[in-house]
Amino acid sequence: MSHPVINKQPLGRLWPTLDPFLFCAHHLDAYPASNGELGVQAVELEHRETGSDFSGKDGFNMYHGEVVPGFPGHPHRGFETVTLVRQGLIDHADSLGAAARFGHGDVQWLTAGKGIMHSEMFPLVNRDSPNPLELFQIWLNLPAASKMVEPHFTMFWNERIPRFSQAGADGRRAEVAVIAGALPGANRPLPPPPESWAADPAHDVAIWTLTLEPGARWTMPAASNAGARRMFYWFVGDGLRLDAQALDGHAAYELAVLQPVEVVNTGSDVAECLVLQGLPVGERVAQYGPFVMNTEQEIMQAMQDFRRTRFGGWPWKENDPVHGEQPRRFARHPGAAEEETPPLD
């Protein structure tokens, strides 16, 4: 059997991606106890350029937040964001009037389409203990035919995300969380937004997170579309093998897609991985910051449209709204009169 690894790239601040994915960021911040107002205590903010802090000082960033860390109101057009929160909470607000607080395994899937403004703030709800935050934000491209669709957001609550779990004879367990893409042995995947590239099963889009206890193993199936591409990110653990090939450290590994691959944790600690797979959109990409189109002329039009319309305006009093001190997770979709809480069976 041939080795499954095609190439390897390092994991930097932004992780390398393959079409149809545009961007993958792994945020891991050790926020301290709250100042009592969902923000970072002033003493912790000394010697930082609040409003643009990516210093990593003391193990965390403020990003573009000044008191509460996060990303105040900013625009997007022409692609989708998929946000997987592993620890902590995110407060979402947008130009459609939608709001959400989600975290602890929840996923938000936002189709920016023709344009949306939103904020993503990281409220610190614990006053007497640290507030660690860990998340992935993944950008998924939209084809030209869908770049100007209506904006849409979907919540995948942790309790509803399909999972595949197996234990070997020794009881060592492997678990896969299925954000997108059918996986044998897991429940039917949750439906992506209707205009997403992932909404067509023929595009074979998969977003999976994998956790393996020491000694556990799992066989990743071959892709169903021979034209798909697959990136495998190993980011936690001290030993991993793909088939007979031992991996040389945490990195992004592009894998062949036409053969199953056995993933084995050969280390002494839990191993964690992310898989991004899909058929390429295969179109020219023109990007300027938060706008992803096909031509420079379309980028100029996006900038003009945003200056003129603010993509629907901003119905919030603040540029960085947060949603109170209660850690309750909820979502309020545009036009909905009641908040939605994570459904429990």
Side-chain angles (χ1 to χ4, degrees):
M1 181 180 295
S2 60
H3 288 321
V5 175
I6 296 173
N7 62 55
K8 170 188 174 183
Q9 298 182 61
L11 298 179
R13 174 173 288 177
L14 300 180
W15 292 3
T17 55
L18 301 168
D19 187 359
F21 297 95
L22 299 161
F23 173 104
C24 181
H26 181 218
H27 296 279
L28 182 58
D29 291 284
Y31 292 117
S34 168
N35 63 357
E37 298 180 351
L38 303 177
V40 175
Q41 298 177 23
V43 65
E44 304 287 350
L45 299 182
E46 293 178 356
H47 310 298
R48 289 178 185 263
E49 295 183 13
T50 54
S52 184
D53 172 45
F54 293 79
S55 66
K57 185 177 183 294
D58 300 324
F60 69 89
N61 301 284
M62 288 297 291
Y63 302 106
H64 296 303
E66 296 187 356
V67 177
V68 178
F71 297 87
H74 57 281
H76 290 304
R77 172 180 277 186
F79 65 100
E80 300 184 286
T81 63
V82 184
T83 306
L84 295 70
V85 186
R86 291 160 55 85
Q87 302 180 72
L89 294 168
I90 294 182
D91 277 358
H92 165 89
D94 66 37
S95 53
L96 304 176
R101 170 168 286 177
F102 62 101
H104 307 303
D106 299 330
V107 175
Q108 183 195 70
W109 197 317
L110 176 69
T111 304
K114 68 180 184 181
I116 194 170
M117 277 193 69
H118 77 148
S119 67
E120 303 157 287
M121 304 308 296
F122 308 149
L124 309 186
V125 297
N126 299 324
R127 297 189 181 198
D128 301 319
S129 60
N131 289 272
L133 178 81
E134 182 181 9
L135 65 94
F136 290 111
Q137 185 162 97
I138 299 159
W139 289 12
L140 176 61
N141 201 8
L142 287 167
S146 300
K147 284 193 177 294
M148 296 297 285
V149 299
E150 292 295 325
H152 180 89
F153 94 87
T154 298
M155 289 303 310
F156 292 171
W157 302 113
N158 181 47
E159 294 86 347
R160 291 292 191 185
I161 293 172
R163 286 175 169 80
F164 171 79
S165 183
Q166 71 177 24
D170 55 6
R172 295 171 177 174
R173 185 166 296 278
E175 181 176 282
V176 185
V178 182
I179 313 306
L183 179 66
N187 292 338
R188 179 181 299 179
L190 298 170
E195 300 295 339
S196 175
W197 185 249
D200 186 342
H203 297 157
D204 205 12
V205 173
I207 302 174
W208 301 332
T209 59
L210 171 61
T211 303
L212 299 113
E213 295 178 348
R217 60 188 63 216
W218 170 66
T219 298
M220 182 165 35
S224 61
N225 190 315
R229 301 182 74 185
R230 174 182 287 170
M231 192 73 93
F232 180 91
Y233 305 88
W234 176 32
F235 63 98
V236 172
D238 57 3
L240 203 70
R241 176 167 55 82
L242 301 181
D243 289 338
Q245 186 173 3
L247 298 188
D248 182 22
H250 298 168
Y253 296 88
E254 182 179 0
L255 303 185
V257 299
L258 295 183
Q259 64 188 56
V261 178
E262 185 181 51
V263 186
V264 183
N265 182 356
T266 58
S268 59
D269 295 324
V270 169
E272 297 192 69
C273 310
L274 170 70
V275 179
L276 299 181
Q277 171 190 293
L279 182 72
V281 172
E283 296 176 351
R284 184 171 182 266
V285 172
Q287 179 175 355
Y288 182 80
F291 307 132
V292 181
M293 304 300 288
N294 296 101
T295 68
E296 284 72 18
Q297 291 79 6
E298 290 170 337
I299 292 292
M300 293 296 295
Q301 186 65 54
M303 296 170 65
Q304 292 171 12
D305 290 348
F306 176 64
R307 293 190 192 104
R308 179 172 52 86
T309 69
R310 307 296 287 181
F311 292 160
W314 189 247
W316 306 92
K317 293 180 180 179
E318 304 86 14
N319 198 36
D320 56 351
V322 289
H323 303 318
E325 297 186 3
Q326 296 300 316
R328 179 179 63 92
R329 298 135 62 210
F330 74 93
R332 186 170 62 246
H333 294 268
E338 297 182 0
E339 296 178 347
E340 302 176 2
T341 55
L344 296 173
D345 293 327

